[in-house]
Amino acid sequence: TKIETVEEDDKVPETTVTVEEVPYEEEKPEEIQELPEEVRVVESISEDGKPKKKKIRTRGIKKVKGDKQEVTKIETVEEDDKVPETTVTVEEVPYEEEKPEEIQELPEEVRVVESISKDGKPKKKKIRTRVIKKVKGDKQEVTKIETVEEDDKPSETTVTVEEVPYEEEKPEEIQELPEE
């Protein structure tokens, strides 16, 4: 129903009522998700040898309506002695419902290797291993953090990240046989 009233000087107000029948579509409410602000600072040296600082602030807003997703990216660049410059980009993409990330951190594993060096002294090497599994959709990201601590040496940490197809782990099947 649309009610429109037109008022003109020296005339009686004129009201028009229009009733229109349309097929009913249930509207899903808009789903708005504001992503956390990300701040990057880039420091460089100008041609005249002075240090320069550039601060880049990025904010994202995801708006879901029906089967479409609108992603708004707001980027502000602040440089020394310059007016901040803001760029807004809006991108509309088909909406795919995101499954929340599933993160599993396995207990830390510690191995100690003891050996005798060439000069007959005992040597100790401690290896700590942490594994973090992240599942997103049909992919699994496995992060392995390994720290090696040796006597008289600085500890050395290696991080490896591997992406593999995700296969849901089936629980172990245990069958207890009757006592004989």
Side-chain angles (χ1 to χ4, degrees):
T1 304
K2 184 172 146 186
I3 302 168
E4 188 175 65
T5 303
V6 178
E7 294 180 28
E8 286 185 51
D9 295 334
D10 305 326
K11 288 190 179 177
V12 176
E14 195 175 296
T15 302
T16 310
V17 177
T18 312
V19 177
E20 189 179 347
E21 211 170 274
V22 292
Y24 174 68
E25 279 184 39
E26 192 171 325
E27 267 188 53
K28 290 182 181 166
E30 266 184 9
E31 189 180 306
I32 299 173
Q33 176 189 7
E34 193 163 332
L35 303 174
E37 182 176 66
E38 184 182 295
V39 179
R40 295 189 324 266
V41 177
V42 179
E43 292 179 351
S44 60
I45 307 286
S46 64
E47 292 165 14
D48 58 1
K50 292 181 182 171
K52 282 173 44 178
K53 215 181 215 177
K54 183 194 269 187
K55 191 184 276 186
I56 304 163
R57 297 174 182 275
T58 308
R59 279 182 48 217
I61 300 168
K62 287 183 178 181
K63 202 185 281 185
V64 177
K65 190 158 190 184
D67 61 347
K68 294 257 183 272
Q69 177 171 279
E70 187 182 275
V71 180
T72 304
K73 187 173 159 191
I74 304 159
E75 192 170 82
T76 304
V77 178
E78 298 171 18
E79 280 188 74
D80 297 334
D81 307 323
K82 288 187 182 177
V83 177
E85 200 174 289
T86 301
T87 311
V88 178
T89 52
V90 179
E91 186 181 30
E92 199 169 274
V93 292
Y95 175 64
E96 292 173 21
E97 194 148 340
E98 291 176 30
K99 291 180 180 164
E101 255 184 18
E102 188 182 305
I103 300 173
Q104 177 188 13
E105 189 167 336
L106 302 178
E108 183 176 63
E109 182 184 300
V110 180
R111 294 188 323 260
V112 178
V113 179
E114 291 180 355
S115 59
I116 307 292
S117 65
K118 292 175 186 169
D119 58 0
K121 290 182 182 170
K123 278 175 46 177
K124 210 180 210 180
K125 183 192 259 187
K126 189 188 271 187
I127 304 165
R128 297 172 178 272
T129 307
R130 282 180 54 211
V131 176
I132 302 165
K133 293 181 177 182
K134 233 185 247 187
V135 177
K136 193 160 190 182
D138 61 347
K139 295 244 182 285
Q140 178 170 276
E141 185 183 274
V142 180
T143 305
K144 187 177 179 184
I145 305 162
E146 195 167 79
T147 304
V148 178
E149 297 170 11
E150 276 189 78
D151 297 331
D152 308 323
K153 287 186 182 178
S155 61
E156 200 173 284
T157 301
T158 310
V159 179
T160 53
V161 180
E162 185 181 26
E163 201 169 274
V164 293
Y166 175 63
E167 290 174 21
E168 206 161 322
E169 291 176 21
K170 293 182 172 71
E172 253 182 61
E173 194 174 297
I174 300 172
Q175 184 178 6
E176 191 175 330
L177 300 172
E179 193 175 315
E180 283 186 18

